[in-house]
Amino acid sequence: MSRTPIIAGNWKMFKTVPEAESFFAEVKGKAEVAGVETVICAPFTNLPVLTKLAEGTSIKIGAQNLHFEDSGAFTGEISGVMLKDLGVDYVILGHSERRAYFGETDEIVNKKMHAAFRHGITPIVCVGEKLEEREADQTKEVCKVQTEGAFQGLTAEQAAQTVIAYEPIWAIGTGKSSTSADANEVISYIRSLIKDLYDEATAEVIRIQYGGSVKPENVTEYMGQSDIDGALVGGASLQPASFIALVEGAK
Ligand code: PEP
């Protein structure tokens, strides 16, 4: 079964609208590589302009969060209805920064997964262990709890469309990346969880990325592993040249 590799940039809280416009102008055409899916997950403020600029290109645009309700008295929040209205294709859910700084639990992540699917937005759902959990040999248990929590109540069809990003927290933004073999071992374990939750066919098609200090110099090594289907990239996705090199490296 061949799965299309997916490189997703997570801009986090970086880039004004003019900066996003100039980034897009530089990567258009170049970060569009046959056989690789390219996604830019930008701050909400950039989404109207990026979804327009991406029209007619193969680059998909993603958000970094959504609220699980469709509308209501939730000051400061953005719903799936609003994102779909802009033409957003993907949304990062359960990123470790949101779990750590904004109190997102597995239950909230699960509600957001359902909200994304209600509006035809594909989730990129993040799971991964803290350093102390890795040191206590709890990596698989943490990934199991987070994966089972995130997929509660989703159909096999929805699960098959979802992208999972395995992001060991100690590797995010630290320059310390997991070895490709270690990342592959955890990712194949996550794939086995999907098989247990659903079936073999779903586990075969679901795409699972690695994230954590991926850069142009190491992306090819991750992509060479049997179960790694791409990367979710923070820091190295912010510069056009580096983003283009990441997409080219995923071929
Ligand atoms: C991320 O933000 O999801 C991430 C993996 O960041 P970085 O690539 O900077 O480690």
PDB file of all heavy atoms in Angstrom, residues 10 12 95 97 167 171-174 211-214 232-236, ligand 1:
ATOM      1  N   ASN A  10       4.145  24.026  10.297  1.00  0.00           N
ATOM      2  CA  ASN A  10       3.379  24.611  11.404  1.00  0.00           C
ATOM      3  C   ASN A  10       4.052  25.935  11.740  1.00  0.00           C
ATOM      4  O   ASN A  10       5.116  25.948  12.362  1.00  0.00           O
ATOM      5  CB  ASN A  10       3.402  23.665  12.617  1.00  0.00           C
ATOM      6  CG  ASN A  10       2.766  24.299  13.841  1.00  0.00           C
ATOM      7  OD1 ASN A  10       2.055  25.294  13.740  1.00  0.00           O
ATOM      8  ND2 ASN A  10       3.032  23.720  15.013  1.00  0.00           N
ATOM      9  N   LYS A  12       3.107  28.141  13.745  1.00  0.00           N
ATOM     10  CA  LYS A  12       2.848  28.585  15.126  1.00  0.00           C
ATOM     11  C   LYS A  12       2.435  30.075  15.100  1.00  0.00           C
ATOM     12  O   LYS A  12       1.726  30.473  14.184  1.00  0.00           O
ATOM     13  CB  LYS A  12       4.076  28.345  16.001  1.00  0.00           C
ATOM     14  CG  LYS A  12       4.633  26.934  15.846  1.00  0.00           C
ATOM     15  CD  LYS A  12       5.603  26.565  16.914  1.00  0.00           C
ATOM     16  CE  LYS A  12       6.242  25.223  16.560  1.00  0.00           C
ATOM     17  NZ  LYS A  12       6.793  24.525  17.683  1.00  0.00           N
ATOM     18  N   HIS A  95      -1.873  19.705  19.394  1.00  0.00           N
ATOM     19  CA  HIS A  95      -0.423  19.964  19.426  1.00  0.00           C
ATOM     20  C   HIS A  95       0.022  20.058  20.888  1.00  0.00           C
ATOM     21  O   HIS A  95      -0.713  20.555  21.738  1.00  0.00           O
ATOM     22  CB  HIS A  95      -0.102  21.265  18.677  1.00  0.00           C
ATOM     23  CG  HIS A  95       1.361  21.445  18.434  1.00  0.00           C
ATOM     24  ND1 HIS A  95       2.215  21.902  19.416  1.00  0.00           N
ATOM     25  CD2 HIS A  95       2.134  21.216  17.337  1.00  0.00           C
ATOM     26  CE1 HIS A  95       3.447  21.941  18.919  1.00  0.00           C
ATOM     27  NE2 HIS A  95       3.421  21.536  17.662  1.00  0.00           N
ATOM     28  N   GLU A  97       1.903  21.995  22.372  1.00  0.00           N
ATOM     29  CA  GLU A  97       1.883  23.349  22.951  1.00  0.00           C
ATOM     30  C   GLU A  97       0.471  23.712  23.407  1.00  0.00           C
ATOM     31  O   GLU A  97       0.286  24.393  24.413  1.00  0.00           O
ATOM     32  CB  GLU A  97       2.428  24.362  21.922  1.00  0.00           C
ATOM     33  CG  GLU A  97       3.935  24.203  21.751  1.00  0.00           C
ATOM     34  CD  GLU A  97       4.491  24.641  20.417  1.00  0.00           C
ATOM     35  OE1 GLU A  97       3.795  25.318  19.642  1.00  0.00           O
ATOM     36  OE2 GLU A  97       5.657  24.276  20.132  1.00  0.00           O
ATOM     37  N   GLU A 167       4.878  13.337  17.649  1.00  0.00           N
ATOM     38  CA  GLU A 167       5.832  14.383  18.001  1.00  0.00           C
ATOM     39  C   GLU A 167       6.306  14.199  19.442  1.00  0.00           C
ATOM     40  O   GLU A 167       5.611  14.619  20.381  1.00  0.00           O
ATOM     41  CB  GLU A 167       5.172  15.759  17.866  1.00  0.00           C
ATOM     42  CG  GLU A 167       4.700  16.077  16.476  1.00  0.00           C
ATOM     43  CD  GLU A 167       4.685  17.572  16.199  1.00  0.00           C
ATOM     44  OE1 GLU A 167       4.125  18.333  17.014  1.00  0.00           O
ATOM     45  OE2 GLU A 167       5.258  17.980  15.188  1.00  0.00           O
ATOM     46  N   ALA A 171      11.549  16.741  21.544  1.00  0.00           N
ATOM     47  CA  ALA A 171      12.228  16.996  20.261  1.00  0.00           C
ATOM     48  C   ALA A 171      11.678  18.231  19.549  1.00  0.00           C
ATOM     49  O   ALA A 171      12.191  18.617  18.506  1.00  0.00           O
ATOM     50  CB  ALA A 171      12.091  15.773  19.354  1.00  0.00           C
ATOM     51  N   ILE A 172      10.634  18.845  20.111  1.00  0.00           N
ATOM     52  CA  ILE A 172      10.001  19.964  19.409  1.00  0.00           C
ATOM     53  C   ILE A 172      10.739  21.265  19.713  1.00  0.00           C
ATOM     54  O   ILE A 172      10.833  21.678  20.869  1.00  0.00           O
ATOM     55  CB  ILE A 172       8.518  20.094  19.797  1.00  0.00           C
ATOM     56  CG1 ILE A 172       7.774  18.833  19.366  1.00  0.00           C
ATOM     57  CG2 ILE A 172       7.898  21.333  19.162  1.00  0.00           C
ATOM     58  CD1 ILE A 172       6.309  18.834  19.715  1.00  0.00           C
ATOM     59  N   GLY A 173      11.272  21.864  18.657  1.00  0.00           N
ATOM     60  CA  GLY A 173      11.930  23.163  18.779  1.00  0.00           C
ATOM     61  C   GLY A 173      13.217  23.128  19.589  1.00  0.00           C
ATOM     62  O   GLY A 173      13.731  24.168  19.998  1.00  0.00           O
ATOM     63  N   THR A 174      13.748  21.952  19.828  1.00  0.00           N
ATOM     64  CA  THR A 174      14.933  21.832  20.686  1.00  0.00           C
ATOM     65  C   THR A 174      16.199  21.541  19.891  1.00  0.00           C
ATOM     66  O   THR A 174      17.295  21.621  20.430  1.00  0.00           O
ATOM     67  CB  THR A 174      14.754  20.663  21.677  1.00  0.00           C
ATOM     68  OG1 THR A 174      14.530  19.471  20.914  1.00  0.00           O
ATOM     69  CG2 THR A 174      13.589  20.893  22.619  1.00  0.00           C
ATOM     70  N   GLY A 211       7.319  14.417  13.792  1.00  0.00           N
ATOM     71  CA  GLY A 211       7.590  15.842  14.003  1.00  0.00           C
ATOM     72  C   GLY A 211       8.525  16.012  15.176  1.00  0.00           C
ATOM     73  O   GLY A 211       8.400  15.306  16.193  1.00  0.00           O
ATOM     74  N   GLY A 212       9.444  16.960  15.045  1.00  0.00           N
ATOM     75  CA  GLY A 212      10.395  17.240  16.121  1.00  0.00           C
ATOM     76  C   GLY A 212      11.757  17.519  15.521  1.00  0.00           C
ATOM     77  O   GLY A 212      12.496  16.590  15.204  1.00  0.00           O
ATOM     78  N   SER A 213      12.026  18.833  15.307  1.00  0.00           N
ATOM     79  CA  SER A 213      13.325  19.273  14.775  1.00  0.00           C
ATOM     80  C   SER A 213      13.671  18.625  13.428  1.00  0.00           C
ATOM     81  O   SER A 213      14.832  18.314  13.160  1.00  0.00           O
ATOM     82  CB  SER A 213      14.437  19.042  15.804  1.00  0.00           C
ATOM     83  OG  SER A 213      14.173  19.806  16.970  1.00  0.00           O
ATOM     84  N   VAL A 214      12.641  18.442  12.587  1.00  0.00           N
ATOM     85  CA  VAL A 214      12.914  17.988  11.216  1.00  0.00           C
ATOM     86  C   VAL A 214      13.421  19.184  10.422  1.00  0.00           C
ATOM     87  O   VAL A 214      12.941  20.304  10.580  1.00  0.00           O
ATOM     88  CB  VAL A 214      11.646  17.402  10.550  1.00  0.00           C
ATOM     89  CG1 VAL A 214      11.925  17.032   9.094  1.00  0.00           C
ATOM     90  CG2 VAL A 214      11.168  16.174  11.314  1.00  0.00           C
ATOM     91  N   LEU A 232       5.669  16.869  10.253  1.00  0.00           N
ATOM     92  CA  LEU A 232       5.075  18.129  10.707  1.00  0.00           C
ATOM     93  C   LEU A 232       6.259  18.950  11.207  1.00  0.00           C
ATOM     94  O   LEU A 232       6.995  18.507  12.079  1.00  0.00           O
ATOM     95  CB  LEU A 232       4.053  17.872  11.823  1.00  0.00           C
ATOM     96  CG  LEU A 232       3.360  19.112  12.412  1.00  0.00           C
ATOM     97  CD1 LEU A 232       2.602  19.900  11.345  1.00  0.00           C
ATOM     98  CD2 LEU A 232       2.383  18.717  13.523  1.00  0.00           C
ATOM     99  N   VAL A 233       6.428  20.126  10.615  1.00  0.00           N
ATOM    100  CA  VAL A 233       7.672  20.875  10.828  1.00  0.00           C
ATOM    101  C   VAL A 233       7.374  22.288  11.307  1.00  0.00           C
ATOM    102  O   VAL A 233       6.598  23.019  10.673  1.00  0.00           O
ATOM    103  CB  VAL A 233       8.480  20.957   9.512  1.00  0.00           C
ATOM    104  CG1 VAL A 233       9.857  21.559   9.790  1.00  0.00           C
ATOM    105  CG2 VAL A 233       8.622  19.583   8.870  1.00  0.00           C
ATOM    106  N   GLY A 234       7.983  22.669  12.410  1.00  0.00           N
ATOM    107  CA  GLY A 234       7.833  24.017  12.933  1.00  0.00           C
ATOM    108  C   GLY A 234       8.913  24.927  12.381  1.00  0.00           C
ATOM    109  O   GLY A 234       8.802  25.464  11.279  1.00  0.00           O
ATOM    110  N   GLY A 235       9.999  25.075  13.128  1.00  0.00           N
ATOM    111  CA  GLY A 235      11.063  26.047  12.815  1.00  0.00           C
ATOM    112  C   GLY A 235      11.522  26.047  11.362  1.00  0.00           C
ATOM    113  O   GLY A 235      11.610  27.100  10.726  1.00  0.00           O
ATOM    114  N   ALA A 236      11.795  24.860  10.818  1.00  0.00           N
ATOM    115  CA  ALA A 236      12.364  24.791   9.468  1.00  0.00           C
ATOM    116  C   ALA A 236      11.332  25.040   8.367  1.00  0.00           C
ATOM    117  O   ALA A 236      11.672  25.034   7.189  1.00  0.00           O
ATOM    118  CB  ALA A 236      13.039  23.440   9.256  1.00  0.00           C
TER     119      ALA A 236
HETATM  120  C1  PEP B   1       6.034  21.491  15.653  1.00  0.00           C
HETATM  121  O1  PEP B   1       5.796  22.644  15.905  1.00  0.00           O
HETATM  122  O2  PEP B   1       5.111  20.699  15.506  1.00  0.00           O
HETATM  123  C2  PEP B   1       7.435  21.073  15.515  1.00  0.00           C
HETATM  124  C3  PEP B   1       7.695  19.809  15.254  1.00  0.00           C
HETATM  125  O3  PEP B   1       8.389  22.046  15.657  1.00  0.00           O
HETATM  126  P1  PEP B   1       9.946  21.934  15.265  1.00  0.00           P
HETATM  127  O4  PEP B   1      10.012  21.393  13.862  1.00  0.00           O
HETATM  128  O5  PEP B   1      10.455  23.338  15.351  1.00  0.00           O
HETATM  129  O6  PEP B   1      10.599  21.018  16.241  1.00  0.00           O
END
